[in-house]
Amino acid sequence: MKTYLLKRLISLIPTLLIVSIVVYLIIYLTPGDPAEVMLGDSATDEQVEALREEMGLNDSFVQRYFTWMGGVLQGDLGTSYFMKEDVTYSIVSHLGPTLSLAILAEIFAIVIGIPIGIFAARRRGTYVDQSFMGLSYIGVAIPSFLLALFLILIFSITLKWFPVAGYKELSEGLWEHLRYMILPALALGCMHIALTARMTRSSMLDVLNLNFIKTARAKGVKESIVIYRHTLRNALLPIITIIGQNFGILIAGAAVVETVFNIPGIGQLVVNSIERRDFPVIQGIILFVTFVYVVINLIVDLLYGVIDPRVKLDK
């Protein structure tokens, strides 16, 4: 296990290095001048050029990349052009709402998606199965922003059960926090609920057709034990994989939902930074999200060996 963990941690280095180069190159080639955005339309060419020189924007790509990368290796992601604060601080100060949103969306995906998948697998080929799988197609296909608008129209404007937008800290009360997060989490997690349900159904069907399940049923073992102890346990690996991947995607894909519901998370921060050409913040957030994504995948891989002892991680 230790050898495997060490190998995986070392393998993170080239992954993050490649991502940093690609991200920096894309931002370097992106049209737009932060100096012009900061000074406004009334600034003269001399003022813009002087600010570009001061910000180091006239340096070559290689110079700028190695300057930035040198800071990253020392734990410094740079300073925001507009907020004039450390990028790491900006990310940390906006991380809470995004994490809360992603965790709640993931909980919805697990609590709703897995039971639906099990239910559909047990009734394979029936109208119930076909209905759930049909709904899952809709769940995968519907854009999160469109679903968010429908949820606001029904539950906030018509029924007045939840606020239209905004955010309350957890310190202001659990229910008050959830009132503001339930609709965004449903909008963000709908696709992942559908994916989890489909993966659970598929994995359950694969295991239900194996001989040891038929033997257990022939011996008269209770159906609930066959389903939840023998079938679900052996079907867990692909389900855990999709749950782990979902969490990384939820964090990375929260930008649209946070903008619609006006939640001050990382997604809204990156959208605002793109509009203002605040390159250090954009680079820092993408690198941070990439790091979170690969770490989650590492944790999922380690869980394989815990759930199924037949999986040998050292080999």
Side-chain angles (χ1 to χ4, degrees):
M1 177 69 83
K2 289 181 181 178
T3 306
Y4 175 80
L5 183 61
L6 184 62
K7 286 180 181 176
R8 288 299 306 270
L9 289 174
I10 292 174
S11 71
L12 296 184
I13 297 173
T15 303
L16 293 174
L17 190 62
I18 292 171
V19 169
S20 71
I21 295 172
V22 172
V23 169
Y24 208 92
L25 182 61
I26 291 173
I27 291 177
Y28 183 78
L29 297 175
T30 301
D33 189 340
E36 289 183 355
V37 176
M38 290 176 69
L39 294 174
D41 297 333
S42 59
T44 63
D45 292 341
E46 290 75 18
Q47 289 174 316
V48 172
E49 189 59 27
L51 185 57
R52 284 183 58 81
E53 188 66 30
E54 180 184 337
M55 296 166 69
L57 297 176
N58 289 330
D59 296 341
S60 67
F61 169 78
V62 175
Q63 280 180 297
R64 289 168 59 181
Y65 173 75
F66 277 105
T67 302
W68 175 69
M69 202 58 205
V72 171
L73 292 175
Q74 299 175 49
D76 179 12
L77 293 175
T79 303
S80 166
Y81 291 156
F82 286 83
M83 294 180 287
K84 303 297 180 188
E85 64 184 20
D86 192 77
V87 172
T88 305
Y89 173 79
S90 297
I91 293 173
V92 171
S93 62
H94 288 79
L95 185 59
T98 301
L99 266 183
S100 180
L101 181 60
I103 290 172
L104 192 57
E106 187 76 288
I107 290 173
F108 283 146
I110 294 171
V111 171
I112 300 174
I114 291 179
I116 287 177
I118 295 172
F119 196 72
R122 295 179 66 179
R123 288 158 180 77
R124 181 185 186 184
T126 64
Y127 287 115
V128 174
D129 177 28
Q130 292 172 6
S131 299
F132 277 131
M133 290 305 103
L135 287 173
S136 73
Y137 278 122
I138 297 174
V140 172
I142 189 168
S144 59
F145 76 91
L146 186 60
L147 179 60
L149 295 177
F150 279 133
L151 291 173
I152 290 173
L153 179 64
I154 296 171
F155 295 103
S156 299
I157 296 176
T158 305
L159 298 176
K160 302 186 185 305
W161 289 355
F162 299 100
V164 174
Y167 175 74
K168 293 288 184 183
E169 295 281 352
L170 189 58
S171 58
E172 298 184 45
L174 178 60
W175 173 238
E176 192 64 15
H177 178 71
L178 289 177
R179 279 185 68 237
Y180 282 84
M181 298 303 288
I182 286 176
L183 293 188
L186 279 174
L188 181 63
C190 179
M191 183 182 76
H192 303 282
I193 293 171
L195 289 174
T196 304
R198 295 185 65 80
M199 179 58 74
T200 303
R201 176 185 178 275
S202 175
S203 301
M204 290 287 291
L205 289 177
D206 287 342
V207 180
L208 282 170
N209 290 324
L210 296 178
N211 288 333
F212 77 94
I213 297 295
K214 296 174 183 175
T215 303
R217 282 175 168 161
K219 287 182 175 179
V221 178
K222 285 184 179 179
E223 186 64 14
S224 59
I225 295 177
V226 171
I227 294 296
Y228 295 104
R229 183 179 297 177
H230 299 299
T231 308
L232 182 59
R233 183 175 181 181
N234 286 281
L236 269 181
L237 291 188
I239 299 172
I240 287 176
T241 302
I242 196 77
I243 289 172
Q245 290 177 346
N246 281 349
F247 193 72
I249 295 170
L250 286 168
I251 292 178
V256 174
V257 171
E258 287 182 0
T259 303
V260 172
F261 287 95
N262 194 26
I263 297 173
I266 287 181
Q268 194 179 72
L269 176 64
V270 77
V271 170
N272 293 336
S273 300
I274 290 171
E275 291 176 352
R276 296 181 299 205
R277 303 292 190 274
D278 200 344
F279 296 155
V281 179
I282 301 170
Q283 294 159 187
I285 290 175
I286 294 176
L287 198 62
F288 171 76
V289 171
T290 304
F291 178 75
V292 170
Y293 193 82
V294 295
V295 168
I296 289 173
N297 277 286
L298 173 61
I299 294 172
V300 170
D301 287 349
L302 295 177
L303 282 176
Y304 286 168
V306 176
I307 294 170
D308 189 346
R310 292 172 299 177
V311 179
K312 302 295 184 184
L313 296 178
D314 287 335
K315 294 183 178 178

